[in-house]
Amino acid sequence: MGFGRQVHRLRTLAAASLLAGSLLGCQSKGSVSDALDPAAIQAGNQPTVVAAANASQATQSLGTGPTKVAMLLPLSAPGTAGESGRKMLDAAKLAMTDLGNPLLTVTVEDTRGDVGYSQQLAIKAITSGAKIVIGPTELPAAQHVAQLSGSNRPPVLALADNFAGGPGVYAVCLTEADSAAAGAGAIAAKGGKKFVLLVPAGSNAGIVEKRVANSLSVYGATLAVTIPYSAADNGAKAVADMGSLVEMPDAVVVASGDGSPSPILIALKAKGIPGKSTSVVGTNRWLDRPIDPLFEGAYIATLDPRETGPIADRFKTTFKYEPDVNVAYAYDTVALTAGIASALGPASFSRKVFENPSGFRGSTGLFRFRADGSSERSMPFYRIEKGALKLVAKSTSGF
């Protein structure tokens, strides 16, 4: 059986752990400079300042397998970052119980939510023989790691929100660019040809634009114009500019970033959009807040709760508290690592393996990693009706 089929069903690999006894540990024989450019090490070794109130958690080790894995989580960070880090640690423990204990030794380091310290820990993991690094969760730290050069660097599965990826540094979490691209592609697959993208001004605008344009090109559709907007004008100027630049688009894709899409939707509604000839495509970020009546009629591609449900239920039963989507991401990274170790052995972690075009199925559904580090997901496509997501199509792609 080929690698793609072996790893495709991550959650069925527990029986394969019986092979762990025959796997031999494999340590890196290269120098530090093989793993990382020495100049990059100096750039990353900057002093950090961390609030004294955040006492670091001690390094933890999970499993006894021959494959060395480093996992970087903000366990002692304040607020929601720390809560998410601790949930991801419990998700890793669940995945190790299911699949990884005889295959992996996971060293869990506390980044404390501090970007500089997280960068230091990432460099330490990359240069100390880990076959794969899971994390970091801090976006600037993940971006820094993606910029580092080195001929023998292990793959990195970054858990940072809104991370675009980099060569060998893979974006695990669903981004707004992913969701927007999948939603636009679903409309294009049904015959839409001309699209407009409204996106918050900033560094992320170009990433969203590129992903949407690439998705549309698969179906022979075009992104007629991208209009960045600022929160200051409530979207009115962007919508007015759209009307003067494009006549009757088939769909308007509305990215919202950290803000609410409602101001843009008010301006669109005043223009009769959505309407009989023009659809509105939203993103997963819309769902970070309660569904507004203004969302009615919009289309969104996002993760399937039926996929994450089984892991979420088992997590709640095991740890006695509610999980979130970060639990699914953390579970999948550990399960994927265990699946590769089981199928191919501890010396098999390479970009070629992670960029397998057949993809992988985990608790967040079917996904694959691209050479540029971005991820593609096969997601359900929904329409918002009466304040709820109504399924339109089970999948936005067939890879």
Side-chain angles (χ1 to χ4, degrees), residues 164-259:
V169 184
Y170 302 105
V172 172
C173 303
L174 174 66
T175 68
E176 185 163 41
D178 301 331
S179 178
I187 296 293
K190 294 180 179 296
K193 294 298 181 183
K194 185 166 58 174
F195 290 72
V196 172
L197 171 64
L198 302 179
V199 61
S203 59
N204 199 48
I207 296 170
V208 178
E209 178 182 36
K210 181 179 178 181
R211 290 297 307 280
V212 171
N214 287 344
S215 178
L216 293 176
S217 68
V218 172
Y219 302 97
T222 59
L223 183 56
V225 65
T226 297
I227 305 176
Y229 66 88
S230 67
D233 68 5
N234 288 327
K237 183 179 185 302
V239 173
D241 290 345
M242 180 188 77
S244 65
L245 293 170
V246 181
E247 185 178 351
M248 297 295 290
D250 294 302
V252 179
V253 183
V254 180
S256 61
D258 295 329

Side-chain angles (χ1 to χ4, degrees), residues 10 13 95-96 99-101 103-104 333-343 349:
L10 295 179
L13 286 173
M96 289 295 286
L99 304 170
N101 279 335
L103 297 166
L104 313 175
T333 57
V334 175
L336 173 58
T337 303
I340 293 172
S342 174
F349 292 89

Side-chain angles (χ1 to χ4, degrees), residues 30-371:
S31 66
V32 168
S33 60
D34 290 332
L36 205 64
D37 188 323
I41 296 176
Q42 294 299 321
N45 265 331
Q46 300 301 318
T48 63
V49 178
V50 181
N54 298 337
S56 296
Q57 290 197 16
T59 299
Q60 301 181 50
S61 183
L62 309 177
T64 58
T67 300
K68 288 181 61 178
V69 180
M71 191 169 195
L72 312 179
L73 299 175
L75 301 176
S76 64
T80 57
E83 292 175 7
S84 292
R86 293 184 290 273
K87 284 182 180 180
M88 286 189 278
L89 175 58
D90 284 343
K93 291 176 180 177
L94 185 62
M96 289 295 286
T97 298
D98 288 349
L99 304 170
N101 279 335
L103 297 166
L104 313 175
T105 295
V106 180
T107 301
V108 184
E109 299 276 9
D110 178 15
T111 68
R112 306 182 294 208
D114 180 86
V115 171
Y117 187 55
S118 181
Q119 290 174 187
Q120 291 180 26
L121 289 177
I123 290 169
K124 175 185 173 183
I126 288 168
T127 58
S128 63
K131 295 303 178 185
I132 183 169
V133 178
I134 298 174
T137 65
E138 298 82 9
L139 178 57
Q143 292 169 331
H144 178 81
V145 172
Q147 294 170 358
L148 301 178
S149 59
S151 59
N152 197 32
R153 185 180 64 189
V156 177
L157 298 178
L159 290 167
D161 281 337
N162 226 27
F163 175 56
V169 184
Y170 302 105
V172 172
C173 303
L174 174 66
T175 68
E176 185 163 41
D178 301 331
S179 178
I187 296 293
K190 294 180 179 296
K193 294 298 181 183
K194 185 166 58 174
F195 290 72
V196 172
L197 171 64
L198 302 179
V199 61
S203 59
N204 199 48
I207 296 170
V208 178
E209 178 182 36
K210 181 179 178 181
R211 290 297 307 280
V212 171
N214 287 344
S215 178
L216 293 176
S217 68
V218 172
Y219 302 97
T222 59
L223 183 56
V225 65
T226 297
I227 305 176
Y229 66 88
S230 67
D233 68 5
N234 288 327
K237 183 179 185 302
V239 173
D241 290 345
M242 180 188 77
S244 65
L245 293 170
V246 181
E247 185 178 351
M248 297 295 290
D250 294 302
V252 179
V253 183
V254 180
S256 61
D258 295 329
S260 168
S262 294
I264 285 282
L265 298 177
I266 290 171
L268 287 172
K269 191 175 181 65
K271 298 286 188 181
I273 300 172
K276 186 173 289 188
S277 58
T278 304
S279 300
V280 170
V281 177
T283 74
N284 64 309
R285 295 302 299 273
W286 287 26
L287 305 177
D288 289 347
R289 59 195 74 244
I291 294 179
D292 189 299
L294 289 165
F295 296 7
E296 187 73 10
Y299 294 91
I300 293 179
T302 192
L303 298 180
D304 187 347
R306 293 172 299 181
E307 293 275 6
T308 60
I311 293 301
D313 291 344
R314 290 184 51 243
F315 182 95
K316 185 176 180 180
T317 298
T318 303
F319 298 107
K320 311 303 181 187
Y321 68 93
E322 291 290 341
D324 58 19
V325 70
N326 291 312
V327 163
Y329 292 137
Y331 182 96
D332 280 358
T333 57
V334 175
L336 173 58
T337 303
I340 293 172
S342 174
L344 298 177
S348 60
F349 292 89
S350 68
R351 287 184 58 181
K352 181 178 180 180
V353 168
F354 279 94
E355 293 164 20
N356 167 32
S358 296
F360 314 98
R361 180 172 292 281
S363 64
T364 53
L366 183 63
F367 63 95
R368 67 179 176 184
F369 297 120
R370 295 161 56 94

